[in-house]
Amino acid sequence: MEAAILTACADPSTLSGLSWLVCYLTTGKHMAFYGSFGTVLLLLAVTAPVALGFGFAAAMAARSRIWPLSWFGRGYIAIVRGVPDIAFFLFFVIALDQFFEWLRHEVKCPDWDQPVWQGNDFVVCSAAKLPLNNSAQWVHEAYGFSLAVITFAIVFGAFAANVLYGAMRAVPRAQLETAEAYGMTQRQTFWRILVPQMWVYALPGLSNLWMVLIKATPLLFLLGVEDIVYWARELGGSKTAKFTDYPHGDWRMWYFLALLVFYLAFTWVSEKVLNRLMARLTHGQATVGGEAQRKTVGKAA
Amino acid sequence: MKNILIGTAALAMLATAALAESHSVVRLGTEGAYPPYNFINDAGEVDGFERELGDELCKRAELTCEWTTNDWDSIIPNLTSGNYDAIIAGMSITDERKDVIDFTQNYTPPSPSAFAAMSADLDLESAVISAQTGTIQAAHVTSMGGATLLEFANPDETIAAVKNGEADAVMADKDFLIPVVEESGGDMSFVGEDVALGGGIGMGFRKSDPELREKFDTAIQSMKDDGTLNALIVKHLGEDSPKF
């Protein structure tokens, strides 16, 4: 099949209509474009749980009675939420990368006698480079991707922390008092009563964040990861016959239209899934939603 | 950090696995959006004048090179922070840039920049002119007095702005504009006089990395001496482009 396409596409200038389009849409560049959809989905799949983890930890820290911990949690939430995303993404990634390299530099090259900062240049010994200069290309790509995940997780973790912090406070006090009356320790009350009940309060906020995260993925290109928006712009820009076998005018509109459909479809599916999740979490809860569910079930029976 | 898997990847991987020395692979950073100097071809690889030049220079300097692409805006910061080792991206040698990075000798002679517009009788002195952010052309437009500069992040958008009427004219390297004007079917034409800007195009290196710059400088000199550089210029930039 692929071989057939290759031979048929050997001279695109002789083709027209559908066969031209088929050849055009199967160039290596388009394959990279299709692949970048996978990159974006993978980023979302990895970032969402990591960010939730960051958020949960920060919310717990902010609630803590140990003041340095509480201070740290609140500081993280306040600072990261206050800094514009783009500034954070531009500044933070280079800084993070340099921080990792500096740590490795200190460990691996203790007898290095030159300064790390030489004028504008950040210079570490070659053994401390991340990734090593001679690592395979995929290692460089994977490293860039991990930096992206960490950055996204830190940014969205702060927002998630705020949502979870609010949700933890929204659980009716009576529930916790009852737990205490049964003789549960603070830790038991937290994990067995508070955490299972808070999700229903957190979900609307978290689903908002998820939607924002989906739309924030084009920031990937700022982090050096070639995402769908980069490729759409690159492929859609007008191409002259000298530099491609498939010359065309400014087609960016069509490519961005395809992205629009992708984003809309994706948010639509997310909405469906989140609604089901909400229905499930509401089950048996002492909220308006839970009460409504109880009544309809009662009537049916 | 920015990355496209390119060319002889399998071979390069085998070679890199075998070599323990870290500087054995030199990472070349380019923009990939500035034909004929550098662009992404149909197969998704870096192509163009600088691709062929860079590969030949690496061969002569006996280095293993890998290509990566990076946004123009952050191409110098990513070099100085060590995410790649050299810039080869149609970057003109200017005094401002020399403050931050070091250049090899130029591998194209100072070549003219030009204006292209939809109407041939445009008065450039009062026109809105598009140029790419952080280029010598953008700096030139600001110094033109009556003209208004409209900046864009990549070269393609500067052309699109002229075509949709947002800007009256675009200013860029003439070698970049020639194919654009030729293929516009008569819609676009050159206006005004060509302007000689900058000291030609060179490769950029970290100031702390003089040995590597020296190696490429020697390789460029050898290509100038045996005439292969002129042949490459004719092949990619056209007969009329200035030669050494």
Side-chain angles (χ1 to χ4, degrees), chain A residues 28-29 231 234 243-244, chain B residues 39-47 51:
Chain A
K29 212 170 174 177
W231 281 115
E234 170 65 34
F243 308 117
T244 171
Chain B
F39 59 96
I40 309 293
N41 66 13
D42 289 332
E45 294 163 355
V46 174
D47 203 341
R51 175 72 206 264

Side-chain angles (χ1 to χ4, degrees), chain A residues 114 118 121-123, chain B residues 80 100 102 205-211:
Chain A
Q114 294 164 30
Q118 301 178 16
D121 300 356
F122 177 77
V123 186
Chain B
T80 55
V100 187
D102 277 345
F205 291 86
R206 280 183 294 277
K207 280 179 181 291
S208 55
D209 207 359
E211 297 103 43

Side-chain angles (χ1 to χ4, degrees), chain B residues 151-226:
Chain B
E151 287 182 295
F152 291 92
N154 67 50
D156 195 49
E157 285 170 348
T158 63
I159 307 290
V162 176
K163 287 190 173 158
N164 67 26
E166 209 179 328
D168 300 321
V170 50
M171 186 181 196
D173 283 314
K174 194 162 188 181
D175 291 326
F176 167 71
L177 288 175
I178 287 170
V180 174
V181 170
E182 273 172 6
E183 302 221 3
S184 67
D187 285 346
M188 286 180 88
S189 57
F190 285 109
V191 286
E193 298 283 311
D194 293 352
V195 194
L197 296 174
I201 294 171
M203 286 177 77
F205 291 86
R206 280 183 294 277
K207 280 179 181 291
S208 55
D209 207 359
E211 297 103 43
L212 191 62
R213 188 179 62 92
E214 199 54 46
K215 282 184 189 167
F216 277 95
D217 205 54
T218 315
I220 292 172
Q221 189 57 51
S222 84
M223 286 186 74
K224 279 181 178 171
D225 292 343
D226 65 12

Side-chain angles (χ1 to χ4, degrees), chain A residues 122-136:
Chain A
F122 177 77
V123 186
V124 292
C125 63
S126 46
K129 284 261 182 177
L130 260 183
L132 292 175
N133 245 31
N134 57 3
S135 355

Side-chain angles (χ1 to χ4, degrees), chain B residues 88-104:
Chain B
I88 173 163
M91 186 177 275
S92 297
I93 302 168
T94 65
D95 289 337
E96 288 92 345
R97 289 179 185 143
K98 274 192 199 158
D99 287 343
V100 187
I101 57 175
D102 277 345
F103 284 98
T104 58

Side-chain angles (χ1 to χ4, degrees), chain A residues 221-224 226 230, chain B residues 1-4 28-33 68-79 83-84 89:
Chain A
F221 188 54
L222 287 179
L223 307 183
E226 274 142 6
Y230 165 79
Chain B
M1 211 180 81
K2 284 293 303 255
N3 317 284
I4 289 190
L28 304 175
T30 190
E31 186 193 11
T68 71
T69 54
N70 197 92
D71 216 21
W72 177 258
D73 277 344
S74 58
I75 204 162
I76 290 180
N78 272 310
L79 173 74
N83 289 328
Y84 36 79

